[in-house]
Amino acid sequence: MTIHAARPAPTLSTAVDGERMTVAIGGGWTIHASHEMEGLVTGLKSGTPVFITIDLSGVTHLDTAGAWLIHRLQGDFEFKGSRVELTGLSDKFRSLVGEIESHHPPAWKPRVRRRSIVGLLEATGRQMAEIGNDIVAVCHIVGSLAVVLSGILINPRRLRGISVAVQFDRSCIGAVPIVALMSFLIGGIISQQGGFYLRTFGADLYVVDLAGVLVLREIGVLLTAIMVAGRSGSAFTAELGSMKMREEMDALHVIGLRVTEVLILPRLLALMIALPILAFIADLAALFGSGLVTWAYLEIPPQIFMQRLNEAVTLQTLWVGLLKAPFMAMIIALIACVEGLKVSGSSESLGLHTTLSVVKAIFMVIVVDGMFAIFFASIGV
């Protein structure tokens, strides 16, 4: 059992002689007596003497906390216009006090943002540089995936089927209820709004054409991709970011495993399989909601709805929508994985990149949908 000697309590006394005041500091000025030291310094009534001598000859114990408090006391005196002199400082404490005096915290200045053309150009340049870095990162992952896929084609047993199945269960099966519900509501809203305006022209039957073509070509797959980006894309980013924060990816490198093969490829394949299935389910749910609304709101019976739908859409209409799904899934997965790998060691960084993953994925999904629309229009589909 070790017995530590009790440190003497800190003391502070003053003596005033005309325009000169002596402040005698003694005892143990350490972090263990911080409350007492703060009370002594705060309760000191100095007035406005011209010359102040701080006598440290009585100090027996001193650490960084005590030295900083003494330095603060000296600074307060000097701020009031007094000339301060330190005396009686022993050699063993001189270096510590000197280090405290040589390190001053930077003065806080409020950051004022000025709007200017130069600032706008600078912000634009930074954004373009960040976009370029994201493109390079995506290309790096695509190249790594190409290498991994070539190895899997040579040796198919390297494909982690269980990981793909687990990610498919999370991305597809778990998302079916929310995708079906949202699509059902959207289909009903399209029919209600379309029927409300078409009825004024006596063309309420054409709401079936409107709902069928719009759902199968655009709304079904686009709405599904947006929900998957918010649901699965954010989950991918959070999972990979958490693994990077816990240095699990470094452990994979140490044992000779590729992060692309173990973590990224199963998520990419699972999402590319899941999104077309979810888009097809969304199409069915939206058409079902559209049929119910036209029956209840426009008094179009289900038989007429199905007959008109069969005339308005073809199998090609369905395939135009489903063809976009794998490409959208690939973009969502790549962006989510890139943002996950960019996470640093703080929870703030994890939240930031998770948000960026969802925003970037939704933006790119809409851009890709527009590109497909232009492509299909140019070939007459």
Side-chain angles (χ1 to χ4, degrees):
M1 180 177 179
T2 304
I3 300 176
H4 298 281
R7 295 182 178 87
T11 60
L12 189 149
S13 59
T14 59
V16 180
D17 182 11
E19 294 183 345
R20 181 176 298 275
M21 184 177 72
T22 302
V23 179
I25 297 178
W29 283 65
T30 63
I31 189 65
H32 302 283
S34 58
H35 182 71
E36 292 84 351
M37 295 187 302
E38 185 71 28
L40 292 174
V41 172
T42 305
L44 180 61
K45 304 297 184 181
S46 60
T48 55
V50 178
F51 302 99
I52 297 178
T53 301
I54 300 179
D55 184 9
L56 302 176
S57 58
V59 177
T60 58
H61 297 78
L62 184 67
D63 62 3
T64 306
W68 176 254
L69 198 59
I70 294 172
H71 177 72
R72 195 186 78 183
L73 178 63
Q74 179 184 357
D76 292 340
F77 286 145
E78 292 176 346
F79 181 76
K80 295 178 180 178
S82 303
R83 296 180 59 183
V84 183
E85 179 185 9
L86 293 179
T87 60
L89 185 63
S90 62
D91 294 336
K92 64 179 180 178
F93 298 143
R94 191 177 303 277
S95 60
L96 177 60
V97 174
E99 286 294 326
I100 294 296
E101 292 179 349
S102 62
H103 289 82
H104 299 283
W108 180 82
K109 296 181 179 180
R111 185 178 179 182
V112 180
R113 294 186 177 181
R114 297 180 179 179
R115 300 181 181 273
S116 62
I117 300 298
V118 177
L120 178 61
L121 294 176
E122 179 185 0
T124 304
R126 291 182 183 276
Q127 289 296 324
M128 295 303 297
E130 184 177 354
I131 292 173
N133 294 333
D134 290 341
I135 294 174
V136 172
V138 170
C139 292
H140 175 75
I141 290 184
V142 171
S144 181
L145 285 171
V147 174
V148 171
L149 286 174
S150 62
I152 290 176
L153 291 177
I154 299 174
N155 184 11
R157 288 182 297 178
R158 290 180 56 184
L159 180 63
R160 300 175 179 272
I162 297 178
S163 298
V164 175
V166 170
Q167 296 300 328
F168 177 81
D169 176 69
R170 295 177 179 175
S171 303
C172 181
I173 300 176
V176 168
I178 183 62
V179 169
L181 177 61
M182 292 295 293
S183 301
F184 174 82
L185 296 175
I186 293 296
I189 292 171
I190 291 174
S191 295
Q192 191 274 333
Q193 290 294 306
F196 176 78
Y197 289 101
L198 290 175
R199 176 181 285 179
T200 59
F201 303 100
D204 49 353
L205 185 60
Y206 287 100
V207 74
V208 181
D209 303 57
L210 173 66
V213 175
L214 188 60
V215 166
L216 294 181
R217 289 182 65 101
E218 298 293 338
I219 295 298
V221 64
L222 183 61
L223 181 65
T224 305
I226 291 175
M227 285 191 287
V228 168
R231 185 182 181 275
S232 301
S234 61
F236 289 172
T237 304
E239 290 170 1
L240 295 179
S242 299
M243 294 180 70
K244 188 175 181 182
M245 290 172 60
R246 294 194 295 264
E247 300 181 354
E248 295 178 16
M249 292 187 182
D250 296 334
L252 290 176
H253 286 297
V254 169
I255 62 179
L257 295 177
R258 290 176 178 265
V259 173
T260 307
E261 180 179 351
V262 177
L263 300 178
I264 298 178
L265 183 61
R267 288 171 168 81
L268 178 64
L269 293 179
L271 203 61
M272 292 182 68
I273 298 172
L275 192 54
I277 298 174
L278 290 174
F280 181 72
I281 295 173
D283 292 341
L284 295 179
L287 291 177
F288 182 68
S290 176
L292 287 181
V293 171
T294 54
W295 187 16
Y297 184 72
L298 301 176
E299 298 180 354
I300 299 176
Q303 297 83 1
I304 303 300
F305 179 87
M306 293 301 298
Q307 180 181 355
R308 186 63 189 175
L309 184 64
N310 188 35
E311 297 174 359
V313 301
T314 61
L315 191 60
Q316 185 183 37
T317 309
L318 174 65
W319 284 113
V320 166
L322 294 182
L323 185 63
K324 307 174 187 178
F327 295 94
M328 293 181 176
M330 181 176 64
I331 290 173
I332 293 171
L334 289 176
I335 291 177
C337 293
V338 167
E339 292 298 326
L341 295 176
K342 288 165 63 176
V343 173
S344 58
S346 64
S347 57
E348 181 183 2
S349 175
L350 179 62
L352 173 63
H353 287 288
T354 302
T355 304
L356 290 176
S357 170
V358 176
V359 173
K360 291 179 180 179
I362 292 176
F363 174 77
M364 289 305 301
V365 160
I366 297 175
V367 170
V368 169
D369 183 73
M371 294 173 63
F372 269 106
I374 296 173
F375 170 73
F376 287 132
S378 64
I379 64 175
V381 176

